[in-house]
Amino acid sequence: MTKLTNIAFIRAQAGKGDLLGAWLNKLATPSRNEPGCINYDVHRSIDDPDMWFVYENWRSKADLDAHFEMPHMKEFVAAIPSLVDGPLDLRHLTMTTEPAHAAP
């Protein structure tokens, strides 16, 4: 089974960096609980507080496709026009290594 990585660079509209971050962080727990989610991590730029980065790994394309159909994702997609400046920079990649596991 081919594991997939989904990465997104997302720029908040001016003055909405914290609000966008709240939305993205709110997506983490339900996304992590979805079948097939290996990890779902949200990052904020140190140099640009309006720039966010989401890093996700999924067990399969079917799991990633199902993720985008979840109610929490549909709610976020509907809010994008009021939060995001420009298009999302969304990229899908094939994972070529096994995911790292956190040390105990």
Side-chain angles (χ1 to χ4, degrees), residues 6-19:
N6 187 52
I7 61 173
F9 288 92
I10 308 169
R11 174 169 295 287
Q13 293 176 6
K16 294 187 178 181
D18 290 340
L19 182 58

Side-chain angles (χ1 to χ4, degrees), residues 32-83:
R32 288 172 177 166
N33 289 328
E34 291 176 39
C37 182
I38 297 168
N39 70 288
Y40 190 99
D41 301 303
V42 178
H43 307 265
R44 190 177 202 174
S45 172
I46 293 169
D47 301 320
D48 180 353
D50 287 335
M51 179 58 70
W52 291 83
F53 173 74
V54 179
Y55 176 72
E56 314 165 34
N57 288 298
W58 296 87
R59 187 179 57 205
S60 70
K61 182 177 183 322
D63 291 321
L64 178 59
D65 290 344
H67 166 66
F68 285 110
E69 295 301 318
M70 293 292 188
H72 56 273
M73 287 304 299
K74 288 187 174 201
E75 183 181 13
F76 173 67
V77 169
I80 285 174
S82 67
L83 296 170

